[in-house]
Amino acid sequence: MKMILLSGSNVGTKTRAVIDHLAEAVASYDPTIELSVIDLAEADMVFADGRNFTEYTGDAGRVARELMDADAIIIGTPIFQASIPAALKNVFDLLPISAFLDKVVGVIATAGSSKHYLIPAQHLLPILTYMKAQVVQPYVFIEESDLHRGEIVSHDVVQRLDRLVEDTVVLTRTFASIREERDAAYGF
Amino acid sequence: MSESAQLPTTPSQHSGTAGSQPSQQPNYMQEFGFDRGQGLQFGIYSLGDHLPDPHDGSRVDAGQRIHEFIGYAQAAEDAGLDFFSLGESHQEFFASQAHAVILGAIAQATDTIRIGSSSTILSTSDPVRVFENFATIDLISGGRAELVAGRASRIGLFELLGYDLRDYEELYEEKLDLLLQINREKQVTWSGQFRTPLNDAEVLPRPTGQALRIWRAVGGAPASAVKAGLAGVPMVMAHLGGTTSVFKGTVDAYRRAAAHAGFDPATLPIATAGFFHAAETSQQALAGMYPHINEGMKRTNGQGMPKQHFAQSVHPASIANIGSPQQIIEKILHQHEVFGHQRYLAQIDFGGMPYAEVMKQIEIIGTEILPSVKKYTAEEAIR
């Protein structure tokens, strides 16, 4: 299974800190998972211009191809202006409309205020659903007070992240198995 | 009709891109030689891909692949088909970038079958050069050439050929306007945004007949069909998937737009094009084509086709003509009833389909499918 952890912002540290924690949690849950982290803060991205994703070069092409090649993705997003960052939206714009077909996508969101709790549901999940993702329910929402100097200090958040990892892996395997059985039934 | 496909409020708002007023509109049905007594025209096309066979990874060299295209056209002629066309695509795994050159070879290698493009990417070509190429093919072939002008579905060629993607829409519209004007006028005076003006220019050679047969390529969406209708230009629709009923809206939008702009829709031919694969049973047809479509799409688009979607292509309501010969006959007849189109184009190869298999497909069309399609779509049969 190929899994990508996507840190969806080119600024800030909280989302990346949670992604790093998730990387350890995934490795600990199942070391056979082929895991890679994409941090948009470390990528030199261009704005999507409508071309096929295979036609992008540089980091934009690499990021698009890695995401298309994955079986499971956990997207981390901070909340900017009551929405997802432009950098993350740009990643979706690089991809085809059915990019997440046959992929399981989990979500974590970091925010400075609990008032943003529903932003992932309102802004991110509709995009993922449109792009045919099997979205893991529920997402993990992490506030400023759950983190201290790059470390997660809330046991509750740690447990919810562990559950997200397990749910993502189990769902990915389950859907793969369902798909395999269904495809075999077509007989071609 | 969707908002993007709204008609202008008055006919005067359309640009009259046919190079003539509606009152002088030629009868394309006659000019293109469509005879209702002969029934639906049947053609085949290749996009010119150069993909490996998914079963063993083998791939012929580019030279052999190009000769295969020529062989398809010869076989189509021998099988009694009406039309053969070849597309251009400027990306990896394609061998027909210079499709006009290959069509020149096909013109020489065949005698009676009509030949054309599917399609010529006009957005990134000079209409004068395109006209020169196709008028030349027309002369070599003794008046058998047709030109399907498309907008480009891939963006890489804009960079390759030195165009700005921001001009995507306008590049095509302006170049099609000019191409149609060159086709209709012996001396052309023209100015636009994307090439130097023409002052009383004579574009040579002139084709065999009065004019080249030029079609506008239209994807599935009605908006492009509306543009074709407003300009009064014959339309080729590409159908990659979905149900026949979905594309009826596009056909209706085209004819409605043409009528709105003062053209008689009865003078405007329509062609449809899409996936085709025949085998003894529908299950064998699915099995024979799926690996080629799936692996081919993965390599050229980055994403394969789910089996679930492909399995639906044998359904009677699906636009894809995949199944047993009898099922395909029934589908084509149904599509003809729905669209009232003049020509059907079957895509006979994709994704490294072996040459021998394509030859078999052409033979099945010629011996089993074509006679029935002609019989039941000829005017006397309809009456």
Side-chain angles (χ1 to χ4, degrees), chain A residues 49-55 68 96-103 132 182-188, chain B residues 153-157 159 165 283 286-287 290 298-303 306-311:
Chain A
D49 63 6
R51 70 185 66 196
N52 189 284
F53 79 92
T54 57
E55 295 183 77
M68 291 298 289
I97 57 172
S98 296
F100 299 137
L101 184 72
D102 298 336
K103 289 179 175 42
K132 314 284 191 296
R182 189 190 61 191
D183 282 355
Y186 287 118
F188 65 81
Chain B
S153 60
R154 300 302 284 253
I155 288 163
L157 86 167
E159 279 177 9
L165 184 64
Q283 194 65 19
L286 288 170
Y290 181 72
K298 272 187 201 165
R299 286 181 192 271
T300 56
N301 286 331
Q303 210 171 10
K307 276 191 181 179
Q308 186 186 47
H309 291 194
F310 190 68

mmCIF file of all heavy atoms in Angstrom, chain A residues 49-55 68 96-103 132 182-188, chain B residues 153-157 159 165 283 286-287 290 298-303 306-311:
data_model
loop_
_atom_site.group_PDB
_atom_site.id
_atom_site.type_symbol
_atom_site.label_atom_id
_atom_site.label_comp_id
_atom_site.label_asym_id
_atom_site.label_seq_id
_atom_site.Cartn_x
_atom_site.Cartn_y
_atom_site.Cartn_z
ATOM 1 N N ASP A 49 -2.799 25.200 -14.603
ATOM 2 C CA ASP A 49 -3.276 25.944 -15.777
ATOM 3 C C ASP A 49 -4.180 25.099 -16.671
ATOM 4 O O ASP A 49 -4.433 25.449 -17.822
ATOM 5 C CB ASP A 49 -2.107 26.524 -16.574
ATOM 6 C CG ASP A 49 -1.201 25.447 -17.155
ATOM 7 O OD1 ASP A 49 -1.537 24.251 -17.046
ATOM 8 O OD2 ASP A 49 -0.154 25.804 -17.731
ATOM 9 N N GLY A 50 -4.640 23.978 -16.136
ATOM 10 C CA GLY A 50 -5.626 23.204 -16.896
ATOM 11 C C GLY A 50 -5.038 22.060 -17.697
ATOM 12 O O GLY A 50 -5.769 21.278 -18.276
ATOM 13 N N ARG A 51 -3.716 21.948 -17.751
ATOM 14 C CA ARG A 51 -3.136 20.861 -18.549
ATOM 15 C C ARG A 51 -3.324 19.524 -17.839
ATOM 16 O O ARG A 51 -3.621 19.487 -16.640
ATOM 17 C CB ARG A 51 -1.654 21.117 -18.821
ATOM 18 C CG ARG A 51 -0.755 20.987 -17.597
ATOM 19 C CD ARG A 51 0.673 21.366 -17.915
ATOM 20 N NE ARG A 51 0.770 22.780 -18.250
ATOM 21 C CZ ARG A 51 1.818 23.337 -18.852
ATOM 22 N NH1 ARG A 51 2.835 22.590 -19.199
ATOM 23 N NH2 ARG A 51 1.841 24.624 -19.113
ATOM 24 N N ASN A 52 -3.122 18.435 -18.549
ATOM 25 C CA ASN A 52 -3.165 17.118 -17.936
ATOM 26 C C ASN A 52 -2.055 17.024 -16.895
ATOM 27 O O ASN A 52 -0.958 17.549 -17.103
ATOM 28 C CB ASN A 52 -2.976 16.055 -19.018
ATOM 29 C CG ASN A 52 -3.222 14.658 -18.491
ATOM 30 O OD1 ASN A 52 -2.378 14.098 -17.793
ATOM 31 N ND2 ASN A 52 -4.359 14.099 -18.790
ATOM 32 N N PHE A 53 -2.311 16.325 -15.794
ATOM 33 C CA PHE A 53 -1.328 16.310 -14.708
ATOM 34 C C PHE A 53 0.013 15.729 -15.137
ATOM 35 O O PHE A 53 1.060 16.064 -14.584
ATOM 36 C CB PHE A 53 -1.882 15.566 -13.486
ATOM 37 C CG PHE A 53 -1.836 14.062 -13.581
ATOM 38 C CD1 PHE A 53 -0.740 13.359 -13.091
ATOM 39 C CD2 PHE A 53 -2.884 13.357 -14.159
ATOM 40 C CE1 PHE A 53 -0.699 11.983 -13.178
ATOM 41 C CE2 PHE A 53 -2.846 11.986 -14.250
ATOM 42 C CZ PHE A 53 -1.756 11.286 -13.764
ATOM 43 N N THR A 54 0.003 14.866 -16.149
ATOM 44 C CA THR A 54 1.267 14.270 -16.603
ATOM 45 C C THR A 54 2.147 15.279 -17.327
ATOM 46 O O THR A 54 3.325 15.025 -17.573
ATOM 47 C CB THR A 54 0.995 13.098 -17.561
ATOM 48 O OG1 THR A 54 0.209 13.583 -18.658
ATOM 49 C CG2 THR A 54 0.238 11.972 -16.875
ATOM 50 N N GLU A 55 1.564 16.416 -17.679
ATOM 51 C CA GLU A 55 2.322 17.396 -18.460
ATOM 52 C C GLU A 55 3.034 18.436 -17.603
ATOM 53 O O GLU A 55 3.788 19.259 -18.121
ATOM 54 C CB GLU A 55 1.394 18.110 -19.446
ATOM 55 C CG GLU A 55 0.825 17.187 -20.515
ATOM 56 C CD GLU A 55 -0.039 17.931 -21.519
ATOM 57 O OE1 GLU A 55 0.506 18.596 -22.391
ATOM 58 O OE2 GLU A 55 -1.272 17.868 -21.394
ATOM 59 N N MET A 68 -1.325 10.784 -7.510
ATOM 60 C CA MET A 68 -2.092 9.897 -8.395
ATOM 61 C C MET A 68 -1.685 8.436 -8.222
ATOM 62 O O MET A 68 -2.479 7.537 -8.473
ATOM 63 C CB MET A 68 -1.897 10.318 -9.855
ATOM 64 C CG MET A 68 -2.527 11.645 -10.227
ATOM 65 S SD MET A 68 -4.311 11.667 -10.049
ATOM 66 C CE MET A 68 -4.798 10.623 -11.410
ATOM 67 N N PRO A 96 -6.780 15.532 -12.195
ATOM 68 C CA PRO A 96 -8.024 15.326 -12.936
ATOM 69 C C PRO A 96 -9.230 15.169 -12.003
ATOM 70 O O PRO A 96 -9.056 14.918 -10.813
ATOM 71 C CB PRO A 96 -7.767 14.024 -13.709
ATOM 72 C CG PRO A 96 -6.645 13.350 -13.021
ATOM 73 C CD PRO A 96 -5.847 14.401 -12.317
ATOM 74 N N ILE A 97 -10.430 15.272 -12.553
ATOM 75 C CA ILE A 97 -11.621 15.308 -11.699
ATOM 76 C C ILE A 97 -11.858 13.998 -10.956
ATOM 77 O O ILE A 97 -12.435 14.004 -9.880
ATOM 78 C CB ILE A 97 -12.901 15.710 -12.476
ATOM 79 C CG1 ILE A 97 -13.150 14.778 -13.643
ATOM 80 C CG2 ILE A 97 -12.847 17.123 -12.939
ATOM 81 C CD1 ILE A 97 -14.500 15.018 -14.308
ATOM 82 N N SER A 98 -11.418 12.894 -11.510
ATOM 83 C CA SER A 98 -11.596 11.619 -10.811
ATOM 84 C C SER A 98 -10.301 11.155 -10.156
ATOM 85 O O SER A 98 -10.069 9.958 -10.003
ATOM 86 C CB SER A 98 -12.087 10.544 -11.781
ATOM 87 O OG SER A 98 -13.354 10.887 -12.260
ATOM 88 N N ALA A 99 -9.485 12.104 -9.754
ATOM 89 C CA ALA A 99 -8.149 11.765 -9.242
ATOM 90 C C ALA A 99 -8.202 10.805 -8.059
ATOM 91 O O ALA A 99 -7.320 9.971 -7.897
ATOM 92 C CB ALA A 99 -7.415 13.035 -8.835
ATOM 93 N N PHE A 100 -9.206 10.950 -7.214
ATOM 94 C CA PHE A 100 -9.223 10.149 -5.982
ATOM 95 C C PHE A 100 -10.109 8.905 -6.090
ATOM 96 O O PHE A 100 -10.401 8.259 -5.081
ATOM 97 C CB PHE A 100 -9.652 11.016 -4.794
ATOM 98 C CG PHE A 100 -8.718 12.176 -4.553
ATOM 99 C CD1 PHE A 100 -9.212 13.448 -4.264
ATOM 100 C CD2 PHE A 100 -7.346 12.013 -4.599
ATOM 101 C CE1 PHE A 100 -8.357 14.523 -4.041
ATOM 102 C CE2 PHE A 100 -6.472 13.080 -4.388
ATOM 103 C CZ PHE A 100 -6.984 14.340 -4.105
ATOM 104 N N LEU A 101 -10.520 8.584 -7.313
ATOM 105 C CA LEU A 101 -11.263 7.342 -7.516
ATOM 106 C C LEU A 101 -10.403 6.168 -7.058
ATOM 107 O O LEU A 101 -9.221 6.095 -7.396
ATOM 108 C CB LEU A 101 -11.592 7.189 -9.006
ATOM 109 C CG LEU A 101 -12.452 5.988 -9.389
ATOM 110 C CD1 LEU A 101 -13.889 6.208 -8.936
ATOM 111 C CD2 LEU A 101 -12.425 5.772 -10.898
ATOM 112 N N ASP A 102 -10.995 5.270 -6.281
ATOM 113 C CA ASP A 102 -10.268 4.118 -5.742
ATOM 114 C C ASP A 102 -9.154 4.510 -4.765
ATOM 115 O O ASP A 102 -8.207 3.757 -4.567
ATOM 116 C CB ASP A 102 -9.682 3.241 -6.863
ATOM 117 C CG ASP A 102 -10.763 2.654 -7.745
ATOM 118 O OD1 ASP A 102 -11.897 2.524 -7.255
ATOM 119 O OD2 ASP A 102 -10.480 2.348 -8.912
ATOM 120 N N LYS A 103 -9.273 5.679 -4.179
ATOM 121 C CA LYS A 103 -8.328 6.085 -3.136
ATOM 122 C C LYS A 103 -9.108 6.406 -1.862
ATOM 123 O O LYS A 103 -10.236 6.896 -1.920
ATOM 124 C CB LYS A 103 -7.559 7.340 -3.548
ATOM 125 C CG LYS A 103 -6.538 7.144 -4.658
ATOM 126 C CD LYS A 103 -5.878 8.471 -4.971
ATOM 127 C CE LYS A 103 -4.757 8.355 -5.985
ATOM 128 N NZ LYS A 103 -4.979 7.491 -7.120
ATOM 129 N N LYS A 132 -14.129 12.014 -6.130
ATOM 130 C CA LYS A 132 -14.412 10.574 -5.994
ATOM 131 C C LYS A 132 -13.667 9.871 -4.857
ATOM 132 O O LYS A 132 -13.535 8.648 -4.872
ATOM 133 C CB LYS A 132 -14.142 9.810 -7.303
ATOM 134 C CG LYS A 132 -14.685 10.448 -8.561
ATOM 135 C CD LYS A 132 -16.173 10.251 -8.669
ATOM 136 C CE LYS A 132 -16.698 10.644 -10.043
ATOM 137 N NZ LYS A 132 -16.549 12.070 -10.373
ATOM 138 N N ARG A 182 -15.065 -7.385 -7.098
ATOM 139 C CA ARG A 182 -16.018 -6.876 -8.097
ATOM 140 C C ARG A 182 -15.437 -6.983 -9.508
ATOM 141 O O ARG A 182 -16.103 -7.421 -10.441
ATOM 142 C CB ARG A 182 -16.338 -5.411 -7.772
ATOM 143 C CG ARG A 182 -17.460 -4.816 -8.581
ATOM 144 C CD ARG A 182 -17.535 -3.327 -8.366
ATOM 145 N NE ARG A 182 -16.298 -2.671 -8.790
ATOM 146 C CZ ARG A 182 -16.009 -1.405 -8.517
ATOM 147 N NH1 ARG A 182 -16.817 -0.676 -7.802
ATOM 148 N NH2 ARG A 182 -14.885 -0.870 -8.961
ATOM 149 N N ASP A 183 -14.160 -6.573 -9.664
ATOM 150 C CA ASP A 183 -13.541 -6.627 -10.996
ATOM 151 C C ASP A 183 -13.466 -8.066 -11.499
ATOM 152 O O ASP A 183 -13.671 -8.317 -12.696
ATOM 153 C CB ASP A 183 -12.132 -6.004 -10.960
ATOM 154 C CG ASP A 183 -12.182 -4.481 -10.964
ATOM 155 O OD1 ASP A 183 -13.304 -3.932 -11.083
ATOM 156 O OD2 ASP A 183 -11.129 -3.841 -10.836
ATOM 157 N N ALA A 184 -13.183 -8.996 -10.593
ATOM 158 C CA ALA A 184 -13.093 -10.408 -10.997
ATOM 159 C C ALA A 184 -14.448 -10.887 -11.506
ATOM 160 O O ALA A 184 -14.531 -11.694 -12.435
ATOM 161 C CB ALA A 184 -12.627 -11.259 -9.831
ATOM 162 N N ALA A 185 -15.513 -10.355 -10.932
ATOM 163 C CA ALA A 185 -16.856 -10.784 -11.318
ATOM 164 C C ALA A 185 -17.217 -10.362 -12.740
ATOM 165 O O ALA A 185 -18.082 -10.955 -13.375
ATOM 166 C CB ALA A 185 -17.883 -10.223 -10.337
ATOM 167 N N TYR A 186 -16.546 -9.303 -13.247
ATOM 168 C CA TYR A 186 -16.853 -8.880 -14.618
ATOM 169 C C TYR A 186 -16.357 -9.900 -15.641
ATOM 170 O O TYR A 186 -16.838 -9.932 -16.768
ATOM 171 C CB TYR A 186 -16.238 -7.504 -14.917
ATOM 172 C CG TYR A 186 -16.963 -6.369 -14.227
ATOM 173 C CD1 TYR A 186 -16.320 -5.572 -13.295
ATOM 174 C CD2 TYR A 186 -18.297 -6.117 -14.512
ATOM 175 C CE1 TYR A 186 -16.980 -4.537 -12.650
ATOM 176 C CE2 TYR A 186 -18.969 -5.089 -13.876
ATOM 177 C CZ TYR A 186 -18.306 -4.304 -12.948
ATOM 178 O OH TYR A 186 -18.971 -3.297 -12.316
ATOM 179 N N GLY A 187 -15.353 -10.672 -15.279
ATOM 180 C CA GLY A 187 -14.900 -11.737 -16.170
ATOM 181 C C GLY A 187 -14.115 -11.271 -17.381
ATOM 182 O O GLY A 187 -14.000 -11.990 -18.360
ATOM 183 N N PHE A 188 -13.575 -10.068 -17.357
ATOM 184 C CA PHE A 188 -12.691 -9.637 -18.462
ATOM 185 C C PHE A 188 -11.544 -8.809 -17.917
ATOM 186 O O PHE A 188 -11.595 -8.418 -16.783
ATOM 187 C CB PHE A 188 -13.464 -8.838 -19.514
ATOM 188 C CG PHE A 188 -14.024 -7.525 -19.041
ATOM 189 C CD1 PHE A 188 -13.241 -6.371 -18.967
ATOM 190 C CD2 PHE A 188 -15.345 -7.437 -18.636
ATOM 191 C CE1 PHE A 188 -13.781 -5.174 -18.534
ATOM 192 C CE2 PHE A 188 -15.877 -6.243 -18.207
ATOM 193 C CZ PHE A 188 -15.098 -5.109 -18.146
ATOM 194 N N SER B 153 -6.972 18.968 -27.160
ATOM 195 C CA SER B 153 -7.380 18.553 -25.832
ATOM 196 C C SER B 153 -6.177 18.489 -24.909
ATOM 197 O O SER B 153 -6.314 18.335 -23.715
ATOM 198 C CB SER B 153 -8.053 17.176 -25.892
ATOM 199 O OG SER B 153 -7.148 16.224 -26.408
ATOM 200 N N ARG B 154 -4.980 18.616 -25.453
ATOM 201 C CA ARG B 154 -3.769 18.592 -24.635
ATOM 202 C C ARG B 154 -3.074 19.939 -24.732
ATOM 203 O O ARG B 154 -3.154 20.627 -25.747
ATOM 204 C CB ARG B 154 -2.831 17.484 -25.121
ATOM 205 C CG ARG B 154 -3.447 16.116 -25.054
ATOM 206 C CD ARG B 154 -3.891 15.778 -23.642
ATOM 207 N NE ARG B 154 -2.775 15.424 -22.800
ATOM 208 C CZ ARG B 154 -2.506 14.182 -22.401
ATOM 209 N NH1 ARG B 154 -3.307 13.200 -22.746
ATOM 210 N NH2 ARG B 154 -1.474 13.918 -21.662
ATOM 211 N N ILE B 155 -2.386 20.286 -23.672
ATOM 212 C CA ILE B 155 -1.849 21.627 -23.582
ATOM 213 C C ILE B 155 -0.369 21.674 -23.942
ATOM 214 O O ILE B 155 0.152 22.697 -24.344
ATOM 215 C CB ILE B 155 -2.130 22.162 -22.168
ATOM 216 C CG1 ILE B 155 -3.621 22.456 -22.067
ATOM 217 C CG2 ILE B 155 -1.322 23.389 -21.849
ATOM 218 C CD1 ILE B 155 -4.118 22.607 -20.673
ATOM 219 N N GLY B 156 0.298 20.530 -23.831
ATOM 220 C CA GLY B 156 1.728 20.472 -24.092
ATOM 221 C C GLY B 156 2.105 21.031 -25.457
ATOM 222 O O GLY B 156 3.142 21.658 -25.620
ATOM 223 N N LEU B 157 1.235 20.842 -26.448
ATOM 224 C CA LEU B 157 1.592 21.287 -27.787
ATOM 225 C C LEU B 157 1.586 22.806 -27.919
ATOM 226 O O LEU B 157 2.205 23.346 -28.818
ATOM 227 C CB LEU B 157 0.714 20.622 -28.859
ATOM 228 C CG LEU B 157 -0.627 21.216 -29.223
ATOM 229 C CD1 LEU B 157 -1.137 20.572 -30.487
ATOM 230 C CD2 LEU B 157 -1.597 21.021 -28.113
ATOM 231 N N GLU B 159 3.046 24.795 -25.794
ATOM 232 C CA GLU B 159 4.444 25.117 -25.500
ATOM 233 C C GLU B 159 5.329 24.656 -26.652
ATOM 234 O O GLU B 159 6.204 25.386 -27.111
ATOM 235 C CB GLU B 159 4.874 24.415 -24.206
ATOM 236 C CG GLU B 159 4.435 25.159 -22.957
ATOM 237 C CD GLU B 159 4.810 24.422 -21.674
ATOM 238 O OE1 GLU B 159 5.549 23.419 -21.745
ATOM 239 O OE2 GLU B 159 4.359 24.868 -20.617
ATOM 240 N N LEU B 165 -1.276 29.472 -23.940
ATOM 241 C CA LEU B 165 -2.504 28.769 -23.569
ATOM 242 C C LEU B 165 -3.645 29.734 -23.233
ATOM 243 O O LEU B 165 -4.812 29.410 -23.404
ATOM 244 C CB LEU B 165 -2.218 27.866 -22.369
ATOM 245 C CG LEU B 165 -3.374 26.988 -21.929
ATOM 246 C CD1 LEU B 165 -3.733 25.996 -23.014
ATOM 247 C CD2 LEU B 165 -3.017 26.255 -20.651
ATOM 248 N N GLN B 283 -19.098 -10.292 -24.194
ATOM 249 C CA GLN B 283 -18.084 -10.561 -23.170
ATOM 250 C C GLN B 283 -16.693 -10.647 -23.808
ATOM 251 O O GLN B 283 -15.719 -10.129 -23.271
ATOM 252 C CB GLN B 283 -18.424 -11.884 -22.440
ATOM 253 C CG GLN B 283 -17.656 -12.095 -21.150
ATOM 254 C CD GLN B 283 -17.995 -11.077 -20.075
ATOM 255 O OE1 GLN B 283 -19.040 -10.419 -20.135
ATOM 256 N NE2 GLN B 283 -17.111 -10.903 -19.107
ATOM 257 N N LEU B 286 -15.557 -7.118 -24.676
ATOM 258 C CA LEU B 286 -15.048 -6.415 -23.495
ATOM 259 C C LEU B 286 -13.641 -6.881 -23.161
ATOM 260 O O LEU B 286 -12.731 -6.083 -22.921
ATOM 261 C CB LEU B 286 -15.964 -6.651 -22.286
ATOM 262 C CG LEU B 286 -17.317 -5.940 -22.304
ATOM 263 C CD1 LEU B 286 -18.200 -6.468 -21.163
ATOM 264 C CD2 LEU B 286 -17.144 -4.432 -22.173
ATOM 265 N N ALA B 287 -13.487 -8.208 -23.148
ATOM 266 C CA ALA B 287 -12.181 -8.775 -22.785
ATOM 267 C C ALA B 287 -11.111 -8.404 -23.815
ATOM 268 O O ALA B 287 -9.957 -8.171 -23.462
ATOM 269 C CB ALA B 287 -12.296 -10.291 -22.672
ATOM 270 N N TYR B 290 -10.558 -4.215 -23.252
ATOM 271 C CA TYR B 290 -10.307 -3.538 -21.972
ATOM 272 C C TYR B 290 -8.827 -3.311 -21.657
ATOM 273 O O TYR B 290 -8.442 -2.185 -21.293
ATOM 274 C CB TYR B 290 -10.977 -4.287 -20.806
ATOM 275 C CG TYR B 290 -10.742 -3.581 -19.497
ATOM 276 C CD1 TYR B 290 -11.391 -2.377 -19.219
ATOM 277 C CD2 TYR B 290 -9.831 -4.068 -18.570
ATOM 278 C CE1 TYR B 290 -11.152 -1.697 -18.047
ATOM 279 C CE2 TYR B 290 -9.586 -3.390 -17.390
ATOM 280 C CZ TYR B 290 -10.249 -2.207 -17.125
ATOM 281 O OH TYR B 290 -9.995 -1.527 -15.970
ATOM 282 N N LYS B 298 -3.870 4.847 -19.177
ATOM 283 C CA LYS B 298 -2.907 5.091 -18.091
ATOM 284 C C LYS B 298 -1.670 5.798 -18.633
ATOM 285 O O LYS B 298 -1.174 6.745 -18.043
ATOM 286 C CB LYS B 298 -2.478 3.751 -17.469
ATOM 287 C CG LYS B 298 -3.371 3.266 -16.351
ATOM 288 C CD LYS B 298 -2.755 2.032 -15.705
ATOM 289 C CE LYS B 298 -3.810 1.228 -14.963
ATOM 290 N NZ LYS B 298 -3.340 -0.119 -14.624
ATOM 291 N N ARG B 299 -1.187 5.306 -19.771
ATOM 292 C CA ARG B 299 0.041 5.883 -20.313
ATOM 293 C C ARG B 299 -0.178 7.264 -20.918
ATOM 294 O O ARG B 299 0.708 8.113 -20.855
ATOM 295 C CB ARG B 299 0.634 4.965 -21.379
ATOM 296 C CG ARG B 299 1.282 3.729 -20.805
ATOM 297 C CD ARG B 299 1.859 2.880 -21.921
ATOM 298 N NE ARG B 299 2.242 1.569 -21.454
ATOM 299 C CZ ARG B 299 3.448 1.276 -20.951
ATOM 300 N NH1 ARG B 299 4.361 2.207 -20.880
ATOM 301 N NH2 ARG B 299 3.726 0.054 -20.545
ATOM 302 N N THR B 300 -1.322 7.499 -21.541
ATOM 303 C CA THR B 300 -1.515 8.777 -22.230
ATOM 304 C C THR B 300 -2.228 9.820 -21.368
ATOM 305 O O THR B 300 -2.059 11.011 -21.587
ATOM 306 C CB THR B 300 -2.314 8.586 -23.536
ATOM 307 O OG1 THR B 300 -3.558 7.939 -23.228
ATOM 308 C CG2 THR B 300 -1.548 7.727 -24.517
ATOM 309 N N ASN B 301 -3.030 9.378 -20.393
ATOM 310 C CA ASN B 301 -3.752 10.332 -19.536
ATOM 311 C C ASN B 301 -3.372 10.226 -18.075
ATOM 312 O O ASN B 301 -3.800 11.033 -17.259
ATOM 313 C CB ASN B 301 -5.266 10.122 -19.638
ATOM 314 C CG ASN B 301 -5.822 10.635 -20.937
ATOM 315 O OD1 ASN B 301 -5.276 11.565 -21.518
ATOM 316 N ND2 ASN B 301 -6.875 10.026 -21.405
ATOM 317 N N GLY B 302 -2.628 9.182 -17.716
ATOM 318 C CA GLY B 302 -2.217 9.026 -16.323
ATOM 319 C C GLY B 302 -3.223 8.294 -15.465
ATOM 320 O O GLY B 302 -2.993 8.082 -14.277
ATOM 321 N N GLN B 303 -4.352 7.911 -16.024
ATOM 322 C CA GLN B 303 -5.397 7.248 -15.254
ATOM 323 C C GLN B 303 -6.131 6.264 -16.158
ATOM 324 O O GLN B 303 -6.561 6.645 -17.251
ATOM 325 C CB GLN B 303 -6.388 8.290 -14.724
ATOM 326 C CG GLN B 303 -7.046 7.914 -13.422
ATOM 327 C CD GLN B 303 -7.849 9.070 -12.819
ATOM 328 O OE1 GLN B 303 -8.074 10.100 -13.433
ATOM 329 N NE2 GLN B 303 -8.308 8.881 -11.599
ATOM 330 N N PRO B 306 -11.949 2.438 -15.060
ATOM 331 C CA PRO B 306 -12.459 1.393 -14.165
ATOM 332 C C PRO B 306 -13.236 0.343 -14.950
ATOM 333 O O PRO B 306 -13.970 0.679 -15.881
ATOM 334 C CB PRO B 306 -13.398 2.154 -13.220
ATOM 335 C CG PRO B 306 -12.998 3.576 -13.328
ATOM 336 C CD PRO B 306 -12.470 3.763 -14.719
ATOM 337 N N LYS B 307 -13.091 -0.911 -14.564
ATOM 338 C CA LYS B 307 -13.841 -1.979 -15.229
ATOM 339 C C LYS B 307 -15.341 -1.716 -15.167
ATOM 340 O O LYS B 307 -16.090 -2.027 -16.081
ATOM 341 C CB LYS B 307 -13.535 -3.327 -14.567
ATOM 342 C CG LYS B 307 -12.288 -3.984 -15.078
ATOM 343 C CD LYS B 307 -12.193 -5.417 -14.586
ATOM 344 C CE LYS B 307 -10.911 -6.057 -15.100
ATOM 345 N NZ LYS B 307 -10.740 -7.432 -14.637
ATOM 346 N N GLN B 308 -15.767 -1.182 -14.029
ATOM 347 C CA GLN B 308 -17.197 -0.905 -13.834
ATOM 348 C C GLN B 308 -17.728 -0.003 -14.955
ATOM 349 O O GLN B 308 -18.797 -0.246 -15.505
ATOM 350 C CB GLN B 308 -17.393 -0.223 -12.483
ATOM 351 C CG GLN B 308 -18.833 -0.002 -12.102
ATOM 352 C CD GLN B 308 -18.959 0.798 -10.817
ATOM 353 O OE1 GLN B 308 -18.294 1.822 -10.655
ATOM 354 N NE2 GLN B 308 -19.776 0.317 -9.902
ATOM 355 N N HIS B 309 -16.959 1.051 -15.295
ATOM 356 C CA HIS B 309 -17.397 1.965 -16.354
ATOM 357 C C HIS B 309 -17.363 1.261 -17.704
ATOM 358 O O HIS B 309 -18.278 1.385 -18.511
ATOM 359 C CB HIS B 309 -16.489 3.198 -16.396
ATOM 360 C CG HIS B 309 -16.640 4.082 -15.196
ATOM 361 N ND1 HIS B 309 -16.152 5.371 -15.152
ATOM 362 C CD2 HIS B 309 -17.211 3.857 -13.995
ATOM 363 C CE1 HIS B 309 -16.426 5.898 -13.965
ATOM 364 N NE2 HIS B 309 -17.068 5.003 -13.256
ATOM 365 N N PHE B 310 -16.253 0.525 -17.930
ATOM 366 C CA PHE B 310 -16.089 -0.112 -19.236
ATOM 367 C C PHE B 310 -17.153 -1.180 -19.464
ATOM 368 O O PHE B 310 -17.656 -1.333 -20.584
ATOM 369 C CB PHE B 310 -14.688 -0.710 -19.356
ATOM 370 C CG PHE B 310 -14.360 -1.167 -20.739
ATOM 371 C CD1 PHE B 310 -14.197 -0.248 -21.766
ATOM 372 C CD2 PHE B 310 -14.245 -2.512 -21.041
ATOM 373 C CE1 PHE B 310 -13.919 -0.658 -23.057
ATOM 374 C CE2 PHE B 310 -13.966 -2.937 -22.333
ATOM 375 C CZ PHE B 310 -13.803 -2.007 -23.341
ATOM 376 N N ALA B 311 -17.513 -1.900 -18.395
ATOM 377 C CA ALA B 311 -18.514 -2.967 -18.525
ATOM 378 C C ALA B 311 -19.851 -2.402 -19.024
ATOM 379 O O ALA B 311 -20.613 -3.086 -19.714
ATOM 380 C CB ALA B 311 -18.702 -3.669 -17.184
#
